C-alpha cells in the first residue's frame, strides 16, 4: 500500500472504506524508522574505529545484548495483542444463551401503532445529534437481553445470524458509540427482521421498556420480512410509535417518505454462492423467471409469454423430482430440465422480480448479483434505498396490468442501455446488497445525510459505478457564462529584483483597456521594493504584496486583493506583448473562462526511445500547454493550486524553483478535461533580438528538467491530463485582406 | 585509567539497559498475570458471541418463497399512486399527447397565452379521445372556470389539474384520481410520484423566454456577505455571520447586531439566502434567490420543492433542519469554495432551464409526466441535472448521455473521430463533383450523403470515392436539410451546399477543431446580428466585421443531435418561416444552437477568400460585391418566438498554430490553408 497512491485522491467508496488510508501509511512510516535503526545498529562498530579490539568485543557484546533485549521486549510488547484479544475474548465472547433474562408483565405498556404522518422534523429529535464537527451521527446499540412473558415463554426466537451481523457491522463502524448519552440514534437488539418469528404484542412491550424508548423517538428498527398471513402488511406490524423503520417491502401506502428507509431483503445466497462478475452483453435467454410459489395468475401470464416467444423466455419453477440430499433451494426446473440456482440467472438479460405475498423479494438481490437486469413487477413497491439510488439506471419497472406486454417493453430498450443497466445492477449489488454490513451502513448513511444534509453524499457518489467515477471529469466551472467585459482583469506580476524590467512591464500592461488592477508579488525578502514615488504612475490601482518566502507558488496564491475573476499572470520580463494582444487575450478568456488562455505555447511528447514524456518548445503545429509567464486564467485555479494540488507537487515545485507553470497546466487540464488556448502568433516575449525560442534558456539541462517535471506530475496525477490541440486563437480578421485601420486588434505581432 | 572509565561507562550502560528490559518486560508479565476485568466505561461494542456460528438465519429456506399470494391490492382509502390511478395504455406510440380543456367564458390574457403555448407545443392534440393526458387549467379564481366539471372527467382519471397559484378557487368537485400540479404544495398533501410540485411564480412572470439568471461571475466576490435573510414583511437584509450567535430571529433571541444592514426590497449581494418562512412567501423567495444566484438555504420547508421528482436540489440548495441553526451556520461558514462554486452555478442553470418563464414551467411539468410514461426511455438524471437540461436534451433522441454533444467530459468519452458530409443540391442542380472529391479526401470522412432536391433528374454517374456515397432524392423543403436522417451514423455532420467550395485540409482542420468543441457549430463563413436602432428591431449582416455571431450552415460542422432538435423541438410555425425564406434557415439553426449552448459559434479560416469567385450560396456572398440584403424580418420573427435573443458574439477565429507565421512552410501542417 503506497502512501502516494493514497494521497492521489482516489474516489473511495464512502461506505465500504471506513479505514483511512493514512493509517496504513503511518504504519509503513513506523516500519521504515525501525528498519533504519536496525541498520544503524548493525553498522555500530564501524562508528568507533579507534578502539582496541578487546573493547570492541565488549562493545559488540554490549550492543548485541541490548539489541536482543530490546527486540525481545518489543516482541513481547507486540505479542500480547493476541493475548489481549484472548483477554477480551474472556470478557466479550460470551455464549448467547447467557444473556440476562427480562420478564415482561402482561400489562406492561404497549407503544402506539406507527404514526403515518411522521417526518424527520416532527418525530425525530435532532437535538440529540447536537453539534458534531465530523457530521456523523452516533448510534447506540442496546445490550442483548432475552425477553420472556409471565409464564417464562420466550417472546421471540433467539437473535438471528443476520441481525447479529448487522449489529456487529454498526458496532464496528464510525457511527457506533457506547455512550448512551451521546447517541443520536438507538438500535434495539430485539430482532424484528422477520415478523413471523416473533410475538407482536410482547415484542412491542419489550420495545416500550427500553431505557431511552421515549415513544420510539430516534429508534431505528430493521425489518426485512414484514406482515403475516393472510393479508401480509407491507410494514412491520409491531406497534412502534415514532420509531424509524428500515423495512424491506414497503409500499407507497406504508412508506413514510423521508422518514423510513426502504432496504433490500437480504438473500443468504449472496454469501453462500460466489458468482464471478459476468461482463455485459447478450445472453442466452432474454427474459427469465426464477421465482417459485408464484400466484397462479402470474404464472399463467409468464407461461403465455414463453409460448409466444419460445426459446428466449425461460420460466422456471420448483423441482419436484429431485433426489434426496440435493438442496432444493439451489435448483430450479423447467419441465424435466434442472438448472443450478442462482447460476442460471447469469444466462439471462432480464430477470423477472414479481411480488409474492410480500412486495420485497430476496430474489432481487440474486438477480442483481448475476448482473441480470431486474424487471420489477410489483405495483406500489418502494425499491430498496430508493431515496438515493436511481433505479431507472438498473431496472425496469412494469405495472402489473402490463405484464403481458413485458416482452415488447423490454425489446424497445436499446442494446447499449441494456448493457449499462447490467453493469449498474451488478454495481448496486456489490455496493449495497451483497452483505448485511453493506445494507446496514447504507441505511445509516441515508439517515446521516438527512441530519447533515450539507455534508450529504451526492447522487453521483451513490450511483456511479467506480469505472464511471474514475473516467468522468466534472468541470468546476461548468456553467456556460461569458463574464461581462466591464469586470476586467487583475494582472499579477511576480518579481524578484529586476526593477527596471518590471516597471517596463507595468507600463505596458497598464495600457490595456480592460486592466482593472495590478498586483506585484514581491518575492525578495532581502530587499525592499522601491519607494512609492518611484513606481510608474498608472491609471489603475497598483498593489505590492510582499511574501514571506521566495517561493514560486506565491504567484498562484488566491490573494484577497484579486477582485476580478480573470487573472493575468505575467513575468517581470515579458515586455514585448502589445496592448492589443493582451486585450485580445482577455476577450478570448471571456469566451473560455474555464481554460488557461496564454501566449507562449508548449507541447509534451511521448519519447518512444526513453519510454517517457518529453518537453518540447520548438515551433510545432501542436500545443498542449501555455506558460504562465503570460496567461489569463480564472482566479479559482489559484485556490485549487494553493489548496488542492494533488500529492506533493506544490512543495516539490517550490523546492525545485521550476515548473510551476507546467503544474498549473496539469491542474487545470485535469480538473476541466479541456485543452489550453494559445492566443496570437506571438513567439518572442522578452526582446526582439533574442534567438528563435526565447524561453528561459535553451540549454539542455533546462529541457531535461522540464521533461522531468512532466514525468513527475504525470505519475502523481496517475494519468496524463494534458490535451493536444492544433489551433490557436487569432482575431477574426487577422491577416485577412481587409483595411488594417478597421480591424479591432491591428497590432498583433507576427513573432 | 582510561580503561577504567571505559569499563565504568560500559557497566553503566549495561545496567541501564537491563533496567529498561526489566521495566518493560515486567509490565508485560504483570499484565499477563492479572487478566483485566471489564471496565464499565471501556468501549466494548457488540459482543462476539461464542456460539455465533449456531445462530439461525432470519429466514428459513422453505419460508422465503411464499405460497400464499394475495391478489393485487386496490388503492387504499381513495389515495392514488401512479400505477393505480393513471392509465398508460392510452399513451402508446408517440409519447405524451395532451388535450387542454378550452376555457369557458371570458379568460385572462395569461390564460389565453398559456393555452396558446401548449397548443403550439409538440405535446398538443386537439381531440380528447386521442389524448393520454387531459389538462385542466385552473388559473384565475375570478373567472370561475374551475367550478364546472369537465365533460370527459371520468373520475379524474388521466387528468392533470394545473394550478399556477396555490388554491385559487375552492374545490367544487372531487379531484378523484386526477393529478395535481400545484405551486409549492405542502408535504402532507403531496403524493410523491403522482402529483407534480410547481414553483410559485410571481404575477408578472414572463410567459416565454424570460430573464436570464443574474449571476455575472462564477465565484463570489471577495468580501460579499455570506448570508442574506428574509424580512418578515418581505424584502431582504444581509447578516453579519462573524458572531457565534445565530443571526436570525426565533430561536436564538439575539438583538440584531450592528452588522445587520437595513432591509431592502431587492435581494442583496450574498452567497447564501436563508429562507425559513412558510409558503407561499418562502416559495416565492426561493425562486427569487435562485434567479439571483444566491444559494437558497431552506430551513425545514414544509412544502415540496418544485419538480423534486426529477431535480436534484441538493446540487443547488441546502435543506437543513431549523432546529439546529448554529450547526447550519457553521456548515455554511466552513463550506468549501468548490462546493459554493458548484451550488451557485447550479442555481443559474436550473433557473434558466426550468423556471425563467411560464412556458418552461409548463413544458417541464409535461416532460415530468412523459418521463413517467416512458419508463426506461425517460431522461436519465444527468440530463435533468446538468446543462442544457431535459427540455433541450430530448430523450427521444437517446437515453445514453454519450450520444449527446453535451456530456462527453462527464461520461469520460470523446466525440467520434469521423464525420458524415451532407450535401444539399438545390437548383440549378449541378452535381458537386469537386466538392465531393475534396470532402472524401479527408481521412475523417465516414460517408457522404447527397440531398438531391431540384427538378433536374438524378445524374446516373457519381464520382468514385473512398467512402460510401448515398443519394437521397426528392423535392424537399429547405428545412429538410436538418432532418435527422437515419442514414447519418456519425456524431459529426459537415453540412454543405453544392456551391460551397472547400479544400481537404480546410475540412480536416475544421473537424479537428470541432472535436474540441463538439457542442458548438464550427463554420467557415460568418454573419453577425445587430440591434437596428432605426427600425427598432434586430438585423443581421454577412459583411465581414470584427465579430460574428452566426456561422453559415452551407459549410459547417455540428453534432447530429441538432438535426433532431431542429425537427422535433421547434414549433412548426418557425420551421415554416425558414421554408418561406431560405436564408432564414441559417439564422434559425444558429438560434437553436446558441439557445442550447449559450455560447457563440466558432469560426475557422477559410483559405480562398476568392473575391471573383461565385458567392458560396444564395444570400451568402463573398466580401464584395455587396450581398443582397437578407430578409431582415425573419430574425425578428424567430427572436420573438424564442422570447429572447440567444445569439452571442465572438471576436476570435481558431487558426492552425503556425497559421501565416513567417516560418518555413515545411514546418506547417496546414500549409494549403494559406495559399492566396
Amino acid at each position: 500500500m503506497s502512501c502516494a497512491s493514497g494521497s492521489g485522491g482516489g474516489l473511495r467508496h464512502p461506505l465500504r472504506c471506513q479505514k483511512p488510508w493514512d493509517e496504513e501509511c503511518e504504519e509503513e512510516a513506523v516500519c521504515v524508522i525501525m528498519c533504519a535503526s536496525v541498520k544503524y545498529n548493525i553498522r555500530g562498530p564501524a562508528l568507533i574505529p579507534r578502539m582496541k579490539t578487546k573493547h570492541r568485543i565488549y562493545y559488540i557484546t554490549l550492543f548485541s545484548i541490548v539489541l536482543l533485549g530490546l527486540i525481545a521486549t518489543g516482541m513481547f510488547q507486540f505479542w500480547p495483542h493476541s493475548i489481549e484479544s484472548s483477554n477480551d475474548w474472556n470478557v466479550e465472547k460470551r455464549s448467547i444463551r447467557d444473556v440476562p433474562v427480562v420478564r415482561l408483565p402482561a400489562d406492561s405498556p404497549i407503544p402506539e401503532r406507527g404514526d403515518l404522518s411522521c417526518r424527520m422534523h416532527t418525530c425525530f429529535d435532532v437535538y440529540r445529534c447536537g453539534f458534531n464537527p465530523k457530521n456523523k451521527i452516533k448510534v447506540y446499540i442496546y445490550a442483548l437481553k432475552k425477553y420472556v412473558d409471565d409464564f417464562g415463554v420466550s417472546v421471540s426466537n433467539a437473535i438471528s445470524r443476520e441481525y447479529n451481523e448487522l449489529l456487529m457491522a454498526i458496532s464496528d463502524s464510525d457511527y457506533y458509540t457506547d455512550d448512551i448519552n451521546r447517541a443520536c440514534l438507538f438500535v434495539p437488539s430485539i430482532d424484528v427482521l422477520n415478523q413471523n418469528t416473533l410475538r407482536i404484542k410482547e415484542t412491542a412491550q419489550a420495545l416500550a421498556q427500553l431505557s431511552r424508548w421515549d415513544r420510539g423517538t430516534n429508534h431505528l428498527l430493521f425489518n426485512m420480512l414484514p406482515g403475516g398471513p393472510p393479508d401480509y402488511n407491507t410494514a412491520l406490524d409491531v406497534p412502534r410509535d415514532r420509531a424509524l423503520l428500515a423495512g424491506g417491502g414497503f409500499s407507497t401506502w406504508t412508506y413514510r417518505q423521508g422518514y423510513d428507509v426502504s432496504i433490500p431483503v437480504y438473500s443468504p445466497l449472496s454469501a453462500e454462492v460466489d458468482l464471478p462478475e459476468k461482463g455485459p452483453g447478450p445472453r442466452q435467454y432474454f427474459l427469465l423467471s426464477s421465482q417459485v410459489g408464484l400466484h397462479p395468475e402470474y404464472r399463467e401470464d409468464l407461461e403465455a409469454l414463453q409460448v409466444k416467444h419460445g426459446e428466449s423466455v425461460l420460466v422456471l419453477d420448483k423441482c419436484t423430482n429431485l433426489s434426496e440430499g440435493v438442496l432444493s433451494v439451489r435448483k430450479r426446473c423447467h419441465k424435466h430440465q434442472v438448472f443450478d440456482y442462482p447460476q442460471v440467472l447469469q444466462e439471462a438479460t432480464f430477470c423477472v422480480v414479481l411480488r409474492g405475498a410480500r412486495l420485497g423479494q430476496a430474489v432481487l438481490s440474486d438477480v442483481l448479483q448475476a448482473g441480470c437486469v431486474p424487471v420489477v413487477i410489483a405495483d406500489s413497491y418502494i425499491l430498496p434505498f430508493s431515496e438515493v439510488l436511481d433505479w431507472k439506471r438498473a431496472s425496469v419497472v412494469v405495472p402489473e396490468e402490463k405484464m403481458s406486454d413485458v416482452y415488447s417493453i423490454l425489446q424497445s430498450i436499446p442494446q447499449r442501455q441494456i448493457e449499462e443497466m447490467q453493469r449498474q445492477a451488478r454495481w448496486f449489488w456489490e455496493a449495497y446488497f451483497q452483505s448485511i454490513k453493506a445494507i446496514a451502513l447504507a441505511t445509516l448513511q441515508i439517515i446521516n445525510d438527512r441530519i447533515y444534509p450539507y455534508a450529504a453524499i451526492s447522487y453521483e457518489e451513490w450511483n456511479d459505478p467506480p469505472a464511471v467515477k474514475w473516467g468522468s471529469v466534472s468541470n468546476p466551472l461548468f456553467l456556460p457564462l461569458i463574464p461581462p467585459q466591464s469586470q476586467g482583469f487583475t494582472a499579477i506580476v511576480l518579481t524578484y529584483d529586476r526593477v527596471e524590467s518590471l516597471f517596463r512591464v507595468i507600463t505596458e500592461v497598464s495600457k490595456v483597456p480592460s486592466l482593472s488592477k495590478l498586483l506585484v508579488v514581491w518575492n525578495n525578502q532581502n530587499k525592499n521594493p522601491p519607494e512609492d514615488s518611484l513606481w510608474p504612475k498608472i491609471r489603475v490601482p497598483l498593489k505590492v504584496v510582499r511574501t514571506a518566502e521566495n517561493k514560486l507558488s506565491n504567484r498562484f496564491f488566491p490573494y484577497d486583493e484579486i477582485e476580478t475573476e480573470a487573472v493575468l499572470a505575467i513575468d517581470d520580463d515579458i515586455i514585448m506583448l502589445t496592448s492589443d494582444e493582451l486585450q485580445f487575450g482577455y476577450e478570448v478568456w471571456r469566451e473560455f473562462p474555464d481554460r488557461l488562455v496564454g501566449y507562449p505555447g508548449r507541447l509534451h511528447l511521448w519519447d518512444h526511445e526513453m519510454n517517457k514524456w518529453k518537453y518540447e518548445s520548438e515551433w510545432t503545429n501542436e500545443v498542449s500547454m501555455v506558460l504562465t509567464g503570460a496567461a489569463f486564467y480564472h482566479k479559482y485555479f489559484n485556490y485549487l493550486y494553493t489548496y488542492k494540488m494533488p500529492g506533493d507537487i506544490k512543495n516539490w515545485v517550490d523546492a525545485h524553483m521550476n515548473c510551476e507553470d507546467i503544474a498549473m497546466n496539469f491542474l487545470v487540464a485535469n480538473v476541466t478535461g479541456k485543452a489550453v488556448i494559445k492566443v496570437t502568433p506571438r513567439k518572442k516575449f522578452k526582446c526582439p533580438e533574442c534567438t528563435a525560442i526565447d524561453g528561459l534558456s535553451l540549454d539542455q539541462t533546462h529541457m531535461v528538467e522540464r521533461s522531468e517535471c512532466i514525468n513527475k506530475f504525470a505519475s502523481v496525477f496517475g494519468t496524463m491530463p494534458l490535451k493536444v490541440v492544433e489551433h490557436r486563437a487569432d482575431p477574426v480578421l487577422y491577416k485577412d485582406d481587409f483595411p488594417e485601420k478597421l480591424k479591432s486588434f491591428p497590432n498583433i505581432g507576427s513573432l | 585509567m582510561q580503561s577504567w572509565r571505559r569499563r565504568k561507562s560500559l557497566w553503566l550502560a549495561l545496567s541501564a539497559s537491563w533496567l529498561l528490559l526489566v521495566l518493560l518486560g515486567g509490565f508485560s508479565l504483570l499484565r499477563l498475570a492479572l487478566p483485566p476485568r471489564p471496565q464499565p466505561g471501556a468501549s466494548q461494542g457488540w459482543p462476539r458471541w461464542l456460539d455465533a456460528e449456531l445462530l439461525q438465519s432470519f429466514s428459513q429456506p422453505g419460508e422465503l418463497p411464499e405460497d400464499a399470494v394475495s391478489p393485487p391490492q386496490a388503492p387504499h382509502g381513495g389515495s392514488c399512486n401512479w400505477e393505480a390511478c393513471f392509465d398508460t395504455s392510452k399513451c402508446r406510440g408517440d409519447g405524451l399527447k395532451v388535450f387542454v380543456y378550452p376555457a369557458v367564458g371570458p379568460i385572462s390574457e395569461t390564460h389565453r397565452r398559456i393555452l396558446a403555448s401548449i397548443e403550439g407545443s409538440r405535446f398538443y392534440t386537439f381531440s380528447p379521445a386521442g389524448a393520454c393526458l387531459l389538462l385542466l387549467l385552473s388559473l384565475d379564481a375570478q373567472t370561475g372556470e374551475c367550478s364546472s366539471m369537465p365533460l370527459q372527467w371520468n373520475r379524474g382519471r388521466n387528468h392533470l389539474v394545473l394550478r399556477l397559484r396555490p388554491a385559487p378557487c375552492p374545490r367544487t368537485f372531487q379531484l378523484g384520481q386526477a393529478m395535481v400540479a400545484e405551486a409549492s404544495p405542502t408535504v402532507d398533501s403531496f403524493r410523491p410520484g403522482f402529483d407534480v410540485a410547481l414553483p410559485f411564480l410571481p404575477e408578472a412572470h414572463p410567459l416565454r423566454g424570460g430573464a436570464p439568471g443574474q449571476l455575472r461571475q462564477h465565484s463570489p466576490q471577495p468580501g460579499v456577505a455570506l448570508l442574506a435573510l428574509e424580512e418578515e414583511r418581505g424584502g431582504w437584509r444581509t447578516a453579519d455571520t462573524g458572531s457565534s450567535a445565530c443571526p436570525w430571529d426565533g430561536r436564538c433571541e439575539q438583538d440584531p447586531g450592528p452588522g445587520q444592514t437595513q432591509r431592502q426590497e431587492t435581494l442583496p449581494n450574498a452567497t447564501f439566502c436563508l429562507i425559513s418562512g412558510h409558503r407561499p412567501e418562502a416559495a416565492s423567495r426561493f425562486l427569487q434567490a435562485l434567479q439571483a444566484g444566491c444559494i437558497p438555504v431552506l430551513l425545514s420547508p414544509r412544502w415540496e420543492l418544485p419538480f423534486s421528482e426529477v431535480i436534484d436540489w441538493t446540487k443547488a440548495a441546502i435543506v437543513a433542519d431549523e432546529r439546529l441553526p448554529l450547526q447550519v451556520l457553521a456548515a455554511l461558514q466552513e463550506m468549501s469554495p468548490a462546493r459554493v462554486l458548484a451550488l451557485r452555478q447550479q442555481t443559474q442553470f436550473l433557473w434558466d432551464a426550468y423556471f425563467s418563464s411560464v412556458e418552461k414551467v409548463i413544458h417541464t411539468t409535461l416532460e415530468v409526466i412523459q418521463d413517467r410514461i416512458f419508463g426506461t426511455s425517460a431522461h436519465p438524471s444527468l440530463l435533468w441535472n446538468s446543462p442544457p437540461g431535459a427540455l433541450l436534451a430530448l430523450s427521444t433522441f437517446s437515453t445514453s448521455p454519450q450520444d449527446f454533444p453535451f456530456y462527453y467530459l462527464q461520461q469520460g468519452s470523446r466525440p467520434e473521430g469521423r464525420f458524415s458530409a451532407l450535401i444539399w443540391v438545390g437548383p440549378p442542380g449541378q452535381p458537386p463533383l469537386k466538392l465531393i472529391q475534396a470532402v472524401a479526401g479527408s481521412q475523417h470522412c465516414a460517408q457522404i450523403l447527397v440531398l438531391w432536391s431540384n427538378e433536374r433528374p438524378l445524374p446516373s454517374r457519381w464520382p468514385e470515392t473512398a467512402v460510401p456515397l448515398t443519394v437521397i432524392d426528392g423535392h424537399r423543403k429547405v428545412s429538410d436539410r436538418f432532418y435527422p436522417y437515419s442514414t447519418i451514423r456519425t456524431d459529426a455532420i459537415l453540412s454543405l451546399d453544392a456551391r460551397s467550395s472547400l479544400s481537404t485540409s480546410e475540412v480536416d482542420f475544421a473537424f479537428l477543431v470541432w472535436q474540441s468543441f463538439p457542442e458548438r457549430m464550427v463554420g467557415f463563413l460568418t454573419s453577425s446580428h445587430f440591434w437596428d436602432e432605426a427600425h427598432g428591431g434586430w438585423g443581421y449582416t454577412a459583411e465581414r466585421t470584427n465579430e460574428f455571431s452566426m456561422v453559415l450552415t452551407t459549410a459547417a460542422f455540428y453534432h447530429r443531435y441538432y438535426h433532431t432538435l431542429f425537427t422535433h423541438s421547434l414549433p412548426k410555425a418557425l420551421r415554416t418561416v425558414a421554408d418561406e425564406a431560405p436564408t432564414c434557415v441559417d439564422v434559425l439553426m444558429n438560434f437553436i444552437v446558441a439557445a442550447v449552448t449559450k455560447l457563440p459559434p466558432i469560426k475557422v479560416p477559410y483559405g480562398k477568400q476568392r473575391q471573383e469567385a461565385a458567392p458560396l450560396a444564395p444570400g451568402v456572398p463573398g466580401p464584395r460585391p455587396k450581398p443582397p440584403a437578407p430578409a431582415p424580418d425573419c430574425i425578428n420573427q424567430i427572436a420573438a418566438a424564442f422570447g429572447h435573443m440567444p445569439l452571442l458574439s465572438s471576436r476570435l477565429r481558431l487558426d492552425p498554430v503556425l497559421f501565416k507565421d513567417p516560418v518555413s512552410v515545411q514546418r506547417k501542417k496546414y500549409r494549403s490553408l494559406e495559399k492566396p
Side-chain angles (χ1 to χ4, degrees), chain A residues 366-622:
Chain A
D366 301 336
V367 165
L368 294 173
Q369 184 182 13
C372 183
V373 181
V375 180
V376 182
I377 311 180
D379 285 0
S380 80
Y381 175 44
I382 305 284
L383 281 157
F385 303 129
S386 60
E387 187 172 338
V388 292
L389 297 191
D390 184 354
W391 280 99
K392 264 198 290 188
R393 290 171 66 170
S395 70
V396 183
V397 178
V398 177
E400 286 172 26
E401 59 170 33
K402 293 254 182 119
M403 207 168 135
S404 47
D405 302 339
V406 73
Y407 197 87
S408 56
I409 292 173
L410 297 178
Q411 266 195 322
S412 69
I413 304 173
Q415 181 60 31
R416 185 151 72 165
Q417 196 180 347
I418 293 175
E419 285 173 20
E420 272 166 31
M421 287 171 132
Q422 288 174 324
R423 238 173 268 139
Q424 192 74 16
R426 174 75 187 192
W427 148 246
F428 274 0
W429 180 80
E430 279 170 7
Y432 310 110
F433 280 71
Q434 73 165 328
S435 65
I436 286 284
K437 183 181 177 185
I439 296 172
L441 294 184
T443 309
L444 292 183
Q445 183 69 49
I446 288 174
I447 296 172
N448 197 74
D449 283 3
R450 291 183 194 156
I451 292 165
Y452 305 108
Y454 30 79
I457 286 185
S458 70
Y459 169 90
E460 287 76 18
E461 283 172 89
W462 280 110
N463 288 288
D464 284 351
V468 175
K469 280 182 192 145
W470 279 106
S472 76
V473 176
S474 57
N475 187 352
L477 303 168
F478 63 85
L479 186 74
L481 184 72
I482 298 186
Q485 192 184 23
S486 57
Q487 221 178 70
F489 65 90
T490 306
I492 301 181
V493 194
L494 185 74
T495 191
Y496 191 73
D497 58 0
R498 283 184 290 206
V499 175
E500 194 189 331
S501 163
L502 167 72
F503 283 1
R504 226 177 125 185
V505 170
I506 292 176
T507 315
E508 286 303 313
V509 173
S510 71
K511 291 176 191 160
V512 183
S514 284
L515 178 74
S516 79
K517 193 187 245 182
L518 214 149
L519 210 61
V520 174
V521 179
W522 190 264
N523 226 359
N524 190 342
Q525 286 76 39
N526 304 322
K527 201 168 140 188
N528 286 334
E531 277 181 41
D532 286 356
S533 58
L534 299 174
W535 290 82
K537 300 283 168 288
I538 57 172
R539 53 169 192 88
V540 295
L542 188 152
K543 231 176 137 162
V544 182
V545 182
R546 302 197 59 181
T547 58
E549 236 182 305
N550 180 18
K551 289 194 293 191
L552 280 176
S553 56
N554 289 336
R555 117 171 301 174
F556 295 133
F557 188 81
Y559 297 101
D560 281 342
E561 283 83 359
I562 309 173
E563 286 171 304
T564 61
E565 290 200 284
V567 171
L568 168 68
I570 188 160
D571 282 347
D572 59 1
D573 56 351
I574 306 287
I575 50 170
M576 287 198 48
L577 279 172
T578 66
S579 163
D580 266 355
E581 283 170 333
L582 286 170
Q583 179 65 23
F584 175 67
Y586 172 63
E587 302 273 342
V588 173
W589 175 85
R590 287 178 54 227
E591 285 190 39
F592 305 98
D594 53 347
R595 301 187 190 225
L596 276 175
V597 173
Y599 298 86
R602 294 290 185 269
L603 184 67
H604 73 285
L605 291 170
W606 182 253
D607 188 335
H608 287 283
E609 279 172 33
M610 308 288 284
N611 237 0
K612 56 183 196 179
W613 295 106
K614 196 179 128 201
Y615 179 78
E616 177 66 86
S617 63
E618 289 284 316
W619 296 355
T620 58
N621 288 287
E622 294 167 322

Side-chain angles (χ1 to χ4, degrees), chain B residues 1 13 138 236 464-465 524 548 662:
Chain B
M1 196 56 197
S138 162
W236 298 83
E464 291 284 313
T465 52
F524 298 88
F548 65 92

Side-chain angles (χ1 to χ4, degrees), chain A residues 235-378:
Chain A
L236 181 67
D237 281 319
V238 176
R240 55 188 189 278
D241 211 343
R242 294 174 152 189
L244 297 133
L245 182 60
F250 279 117
S251 77
T252 44
W253 320 114
T254 50
Y255 179 65
R256 295 170 291 182
Q257 178 108 14
Y259 193 66
D260 290 328
V261 183
S262 177
I263 60 169
V265 180
Y266 176 69
S267 166
L269 287 183
S270 297
E272 283 172 29
V273 186
D274 179 34
L275 280 185
E277 186 170 357
K278 189 173 173 181
R283 296 177 176 185
Q284 189 181 350
Y285 305 105
F286 185 66
L287 181 65
L288 182 142
S289 160
S290 64
Q291 285 167 282
V292 296
L294 290 175
H295 192 274
E297 236 175 76
Y298 293 148
R299 187 163 288 283
E300 272 168 36
D301 284 350
L302 287 171
E303 274 161 4
L305 280 175
Q306 188 166 22
V307 170
K308 195 170 165 199
H309 300 284
E311 296 274 284
S312 62
V313 178
L314 181 64
V315 180
L316 299 173
D317 202 351
K318 214 182 285 182
C319 296
T320 47
N321 51 354
L322 280 184
S323 53
E324 285 285 312
V326 179
L327 204 55
S328 67
V329 194
R330 303 280 302 275
K331 295 283 174 202
R332 293 287 187 277
C333 289
H334 173 63
K335 289 176 185 154
H336 297 293
Q337 237 179 321
V338 182
F339 296 88
D340 285 331
Y341 183 86
Q343 286 82 352
V344 65
L345 296 173
Q346 285 198 316
E347 304 305 318
T349 307
F350 291 101
C351 295
V352 176
V353 179
L354 258 168
R355 64 182 293 154
R358 296 190 177 97
L359 281 173
Q361 296 287 319
V363 70
L364 178 63
S365 176
D366 301 336
V367 165
L368 294 173
Q369 184 182 13
C372 183
V373 181
V375 180
V376 182
I377 311 180

Side-chain angles (χ1 to χ4, degrees), chain B residues 466-499:
Chain B
V467 294
L469 186 144
T470 321
V471 182
I472 304 172
D473 189 17
H475 195 74
R476 285 190 174 71
K477 294 183 301 234
V478 179
S479 58
D480 284 347
R481 276 175 57 187
F482 302 123
Y483 185 80
Y485 297 98
S486 58
T487 35
I488 301 174
R489 298 248 171 258
T490 58
D491 287 346
I493 291 177
L494 170 59
S495 169
L496 292 166
D497 186 275
R499 281 169 295 178

Side-chain angles (χ1 to χ4, degrees), chain A residues 80-136:
Chain A
H81 272 298
S82 62
I83 300 171
E84 265 177 80
S85 68
S86 73
N87 280 343
D88 69 28
W89 178 78
N90 282 337
V91 178
E92 287 192 349
K93 281 227 164 178
R94 295 169 304 204
S95 167
I96 209 140
R97 281 159 300 188
D98 298 344
V99 297
V101 176
V102 178
R103 202 176 62 84
L104 296 168
D107 58 350
S108 67
I110 303 175
E112 300 271 314
R113 279 202 64 82
D115 183 354
L116 259 182
S117 67
C118 265
R119 296 290 179 275
M120 288 308 265
H121 60 259
T122 56
C123 295
F124 193 86
D125 179 10
V126 79
Y127 294 114
R128 286 188 179 278
C129 307
F131 182 74
N132 188 336
K134 281 182 190 152
N135 294 328
K136 262 226 146 88

